[in-house]
Amino acid sequence: MELTNKKIELPDFLAEREQVLTTWPTGKDVKFADGVKYQESLPEHKRFAAVLKKADAEGKTLSQPRAGVALVDEHIALLQGLQTACDLLPSTIDAYTRLNRYEESAKGIAKSREAGTSLLNGFPAVNHGLAECRRVVEAVDKPVQVRHGTPDARLLAEITLAGGFSAYEGGGISYNIPYAKKVSLEKSIRDWQYCDRLVGLYEEHGVRINREPFGPLSGTLVPPFISHSVAIIEGLLALEQGVRSITVGYGQVGNMVQDIAAIRALRELADEYFRAAGFDDFELTTVFHQWMGGFPENEAMAFSVISWGGAVAGLSGATKVIVKTPHEARGIPTMEANRAGLNATRQILNMVQDQVFPNSDALAFEVELIKREVRAVMSKVFELGNGDIAVGTVRAFEAGVIDVPFAPAACNAGKLLPVRDNHGAVRVFEAGQVPLPEDVLTLHRDLINERARAEGREPSFQMVVDDIYAISKSTLIGRPAK
Ligand code: 8ZB
């Protein structure tokens, strides 16, 4: 099938759907009309899009953890334990399900029962099936989102949406490039068009499902314009398939001005590009991810990273913040550690709630810089696709026009190298084939040279490596030891 950014025709979608629903036995329980009826039965306060829309109108920043375990009763207990400390709930899906290896999830479920503890790193929603997903949704009192990392998430979407989850994370780029080595972008984009078309079908039947492209990508020194370009493209692809509630995301880099500018630019750019493509009936919100790179092992230090992320999330005006835990350096958190991260975040969100980050030349400068960078990338993507954003995206990755630093995917060029400047903002050290304007490249180079002079060394790959480990070793910038 030829990839194109066109709404999938209903007969084609339905034919594909029959095949998708037979890939694992639990698929046969899914009936679309029944899914719509179930979604309609959810009260307003458990509808993800409605809760986001209300928060956005009130200027509030909502908090959301990550959480998922192998067994349904344990997963319910976990979410019930978390819901009094957060605004929105997740169900983080296990890694086997993300790879469509349901036999192995099944073994993990059986072994978890024997062991009396979760031996999977998330909730295997496909294996548990529709009725068990509904049991989860019914047992909690907040909206629940599916969070995962799945290049082919079609069956997972069918089961969880019919199961009452009202938001779905991911996208054809953001759940491929950082998560898979050799899945082609053509396939992951097409498979995510299916997910978006399914959401679009729910929309046609009056059910709003929120969609959230995964903003942080590799989570490793990603310059804002790269992740913004991907978020905007995934938003456009989703809108074409009929999605109406979109939350664009961004991973904290740690420089306050750059982070606040990034959320502003992201919202304004997404709105601009969505309207320019002819859409005007969408609900646009934003998500700020607390620091996605390496964390300090020391829990007090980890709380500091968490709180800084919470403060900047609140000041940036993001609609929600995804919260880290003091166990981040060690792995999957306990419920108590997860609650602690949420409590630390809620305290600081409340304290910045009525403060306004002052406009300044520095802030306006960063917003404008990000906008120029995104526009340079986006116009090249449209050009490469002769106006078709799906085709243009595949070609843009082939050409290195979009290049995600430190991502495992073979179809990603991996030529762009980021590094922090002397104030900790993430800049472009080596641009590879990313089409930034000449004066922008010069600006990045000058800012990096300023840091190099301050450190008495040349900019180098060592500087990049130092930055990657800096926060886990208690600083923002990876300066050499004095
Ligand atoms: C890309 C997301 C990585 C983050 C957390 C990791 C990391 C993954 C779970 C989880 C709680 C889970 N994460 N799986 N947190 N429960 N099952 O996602 O720790 O912070």
Side-chain angles (χ1 to χ4, degrees), residues 66-69 92 98 121-122 179 214 292 324 328 331-333 338:
R66 300 182 170 90
V69 288
T92 302
R98 298 182 199 179
N121 62 358
Y179 283 99
F214 175 59
M292 291 292 284
K324 286 279 183 173
E328 176 59 24
I332 307 269
N338 220 330

Side-chain angles (χ1 to χ4, degrees), residues 111-125:
K111 285 189 186 155
S112 299
R113 284 209 181 96
E114 276 168 38
T117 182
S118 178
L119 298 177
L120 293 174
N121 62 358
F123 178 72

Side-chain angles (χ1 to χ4, degrees), residues 29-44 46-47 76 129-142 144 158-166 202 205-209:
D29 300 332
V30 179
K31 304 277 180 292
F32 183 72
D34 168 63
V36 169
K37 224 171 90 196
Y38 188 76
Q39 285 280 348
E40 281 173 343
S41 77
L42 293 177
E44 190 84 345
K46 286 171 74 167
R47 302 215 45 81
I76 288 174
L130 179 68
E132 292 292 83
C133 285
R134 289 182 180 178
R135 200 151 72 78
V136 172
V137 170
E138 281 164 31
V140 299
D141 210 32
K142 301 260 156 90
V144 199
E158 289 280 5
I159 289 173
T160 53
L161 297 186
F165 288 79
S166 52
Y202 274 99
H205 289 76
V207 173
R208 181 130 301 176
I209 303 285

Side-chain angles (χ1 to χ4, degrees), residues 275-294:
R275 286 182 197 284
F279 301 100
D280 50 23
D281 58 342
F282 54 84
E283 293 170 7
L284 177 64
T285 48
T286 57
V287 50
F288 184 93
H289 290 250
Q290 289 177 352
W291 176 245
M292 291 292 284

